[in-house]
């Protein structure tokens, strides 16, 4: 198969993820403003409204994976996208309610619904693409799904700000609906693949026993990303440095550039080897942030952190897919992704505790230690999971 053929075959699935996460990203930069200034609630309440979607996502990852295995990837996506539309509709309806308390209740419902929508679309699109292109291209599939997510979040946030300034929060909600309709237009013409576990109940604990090491490595590698986003601006401010935003730009450049240049490496040389190198680079970046005497080195450290974290998800994802039977692939991917969600949820409060006790630089030292713990965990597992897909029946 020529390189152009897989590209054409792969393209619809990152596009599905892009439009879904564009809908996710649209309200993120304006929700706190809308809830606090527009509806009159506290910033604490606004923070909870923002975080509810992540809670909904974590709680539904396993369910979305099991449904994908039993009902098929296309059906999972065709349920997830309308749920995202329901989320946008609820956000829109909340703007029509004069009383702030019931308006907030409707908005909270919309935020919660977006959680299972995200789980279904991401798990469904990923397993669909792997089924169409073959398990040997798992790393490529996961790499491009990640690029689609980063692109959607990067473009959706400014688009949400524009819609908020131009049309208010109702315009943001309408934009969410338009994005989900665009996603349905991509999905409907695509050929479905047969469910892999028709009528079979996959064991969650059994799958977890096969992938816990890869999931834990993913969790440890994602912690520095969460810590960087939460505390780098405060770190810069405490030192009197300018340009904190450049660290996030550098991080994003590192992620995208490495994925564009080396997306084939997990499939070619094995996930474990790629993850070991990636974690070492990420640890170096965190060390530079910890010891940086000025903003230039800190930005370079953030860029290296992005370059390091870039391929850990697809690298560990390759191992996950190769370690589980094909009939449990959706459940495995959903469970594996939940480790990433857990890292984002736990790193913020733990980082805050570290910052209070030892200062902001120690936050990045902790991030580097997490990366090194990931390296130790991989080394303790030997070569497990690096076998080729054809070596494991049903993979």
């Amino acid at each position: 198969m020529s390189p152009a053929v897989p590209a054409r075959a792969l393209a619809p699935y990152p596009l599905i993820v892009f439009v879904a996460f564009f809908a996710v990203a649209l309200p993120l930069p304006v929700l706190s403003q809308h809830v606090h200034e527009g509806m009159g609630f506290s910033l604490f309440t606004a923070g909870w409204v923002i975080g509810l979607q992540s809670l909904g996502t974590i709680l539904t990852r396993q369910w979305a994976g099991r449904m994908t295995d039993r009902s098929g990837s296309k059906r999972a996506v065709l349920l997830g996208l309308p749920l995202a539309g329901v989320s946008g509709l609820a956000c829109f309806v909340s703007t029509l309610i004069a009383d702030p308390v019931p308006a907030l209740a409707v908005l909270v419902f919309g935020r919660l619904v977006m959680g299972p929508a995200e789980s279904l679309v991401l798990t469904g699109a990923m397993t669909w693409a792997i089924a169409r292109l073959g398990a040997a291209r798992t790393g490529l599939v996961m790499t491009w799904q990640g690029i689609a997510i980063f692109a959607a979040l990067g473009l959706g946030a400014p688009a949400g700000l524009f819609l908020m300034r131009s049309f208010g929060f109702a315009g943001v909600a309408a934009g969410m609906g338009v994005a989900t309709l665009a996603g349905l237009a991509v999905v409907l013409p695509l050929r479905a693949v047969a469910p892999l576990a028709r009528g079979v109940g996959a064991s969650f604990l059994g799958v977890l026993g096969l992938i816990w090491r890869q999931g834990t490595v993913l969790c440890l590698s994602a912690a520095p990303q969460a810590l960087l986003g939460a505390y780098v601006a405060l770190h810069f401010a405490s030192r009197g440095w300018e340009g904190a935003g450049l660290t996030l730009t550098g991080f994003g450049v590192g992620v995208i550039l490495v994925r564009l240049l080396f997306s084939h490496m997990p499939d070619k040389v094995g996930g474990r080897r790629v993850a070991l190198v990636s974690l070492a680079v990420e640890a170096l970046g965190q060390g530079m942030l910890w010891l940086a005497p000025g903003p230039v080195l800190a930005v370079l450290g953030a860029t290296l952190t992005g370059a390091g974290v870039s391929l850990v998800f697809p690298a560990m994802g390759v191992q996950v897919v190769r370690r589980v039977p094909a009939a449990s692939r959706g459940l495995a991917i959903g469970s594996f992704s939940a480790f990433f969600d857990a890292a984002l949820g736990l790193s913020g409060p733990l980082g805050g505790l570290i910052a209070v006790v030892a200062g902001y630089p120690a936050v990045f030292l902790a991030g580097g230690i997490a990366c090194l713990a990931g390296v130790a965990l991989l080394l303790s597992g030997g070569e497990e999971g690096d076998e080729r897909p054809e070596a494991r029946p049903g993979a």
Side-chain angles (χ1 to χ4, degrees):
M1 185 179 290
S2 68
V5 174
R8 288 199 301 270
L10 173 64
Y13 307 102
L15 183 57
I16 293 167
V17 171
F18 173 83
V19 294
F21 274 81
F22 191 83
V24 168
L26 280 174
L28 291 182
V30 299
L31 260 176
S32 59
Q33 176 188 353
H34 174 63
V35 174
H36 179 54
E37 298 178 4
M39 303 178 75
F41 291 97
S42 67
L43 285 172
F44 178 77
T45 300
W48 272 107
V49 172
I50 293 171
L52 280 173
Q53 180 192 323
S54 296
L55 176 63
T57 303
I58 292 173
L59 293 177
T60 56
R61 288 288 195 191
Q62 178 192 348
W63 167 76
R66 196 182 299 277
M67 180 183 176
T68 299
D69 288 331
R70 290 179 173 178
S71 302
S73 303
K74 184 171 184 177
R75 185 170 295 182
V77 174
L78 284 176
L79 176 59
L81 285 171
L83 280 176
V86 169
S87 175
L89 179 62
C91 292
F92 182 83
V93 170
S94 73
T95 66
L96 305 178
I97 302 174
D99 191 329
V101 174
L104 181 67
V106 174
L107 180 61
V108 164
F109 169 76
R111 295 295 297 158
L112 284 171
V113 167
M114 187 60 89
E118 178 185 331
S119 294
L120 285 164
V121 172
L122 184 60
T123 304
M126 200 173 294
T127 55
W128 200 353
I130 292 171
R132 291 300 306 275
L133 275 73
R137 292 194 174 95
T138 295
L140 180 68
V141 168
M142 291 189 170
T143 295
W144 279 96
Q145 300 286 41
I147 290 175
I149 292 171
F150 275 102
L153 296 177
L155 295 173
L161 289 168
F162 170 78
L163 290 172
M164 185 71 171
R165 287 194 301 267
S166 303
F167 307 104
F169 194 69
V172 176
M176 295 169 65
V178 171
T180 56
L181 289 175
L184 288 172
V186 175
V187 171
L188 289 172
L190 297 176
R191 179 166 63 88
V193 294
L196 295 173
R198 200 185 302 272
V200 177
S203 167
F204 169 66
L205 291 179
V207 167
L208 194 63
L210 291 171
I211 70 166
W212 70 268
R213 188 183 303 273
Q214 291 74 28
T216 304
V217 170
L218 175 65
C219 183
L220 291 168
S221 73
Q225 175 181 344
L227 294 172
L228 181 72
Y231 296 105
V232 72
L234 294 171
H235 175 50
F236 268 56
S238 70
R239 295 293 181 91
W241 298 342
E242 299 291 335
L246 292 176
T247 58
L248 300 179
T249 301
F251 176 86
V253 169
V255 169
I256 299 296
L257 191 60
V258 168
R259 289 202 170 194
L260 288 174
L261 293 176
F262 302 108
S263 62
H264 62 289
M265 294 303 291
D267 294 323
K268 183 177 181 181
V269 305
R272 177 178 175 273
R273 296 178 181 87
V274 172
L276 284 171
V277 174
S278 297
L279 287 165
V281 172
E282 189 179 3
L284 177 61
Q286 289 289 284
M288 292 175 68
L289 275 162
W290 170 43
L291 298 172
V296 174
L297 198 60
V299 170
L300 181 57
T303 304
L304 282 177
T305 298
V309 78
S310 181
L311 291 180
V312 177
F313 185 91
M316 292 294 93
V318 165
Q319 288 194 312
V320 165
V321 168
R322 293 173 180 177
R323 288 182 60 76
V324 301
S328 300
R329 191 174 289 155
L331 178 60
I333 289 174
S335 303
F336 174 64
S337 301
F339 282 91
F340 182 82
D341 299 325
L344 298 186
L346 294 173
S347 297
L350 289 176
L353 179 63
I354 292 170
V356 168
V357 173
Y360 291 118
V363 170
F364 307 111
L365 172 61
I369 292 172
C371 296
L372 295 178
V375 169
L377 189 59
L378 281 177
L379 292 176
S380 69
E383 295 291 328
E384 69 167 358
D386 261 347
E387 67 271 18
R388 294 296 179 214
E390 58 269 18
R392 183 174 293 275

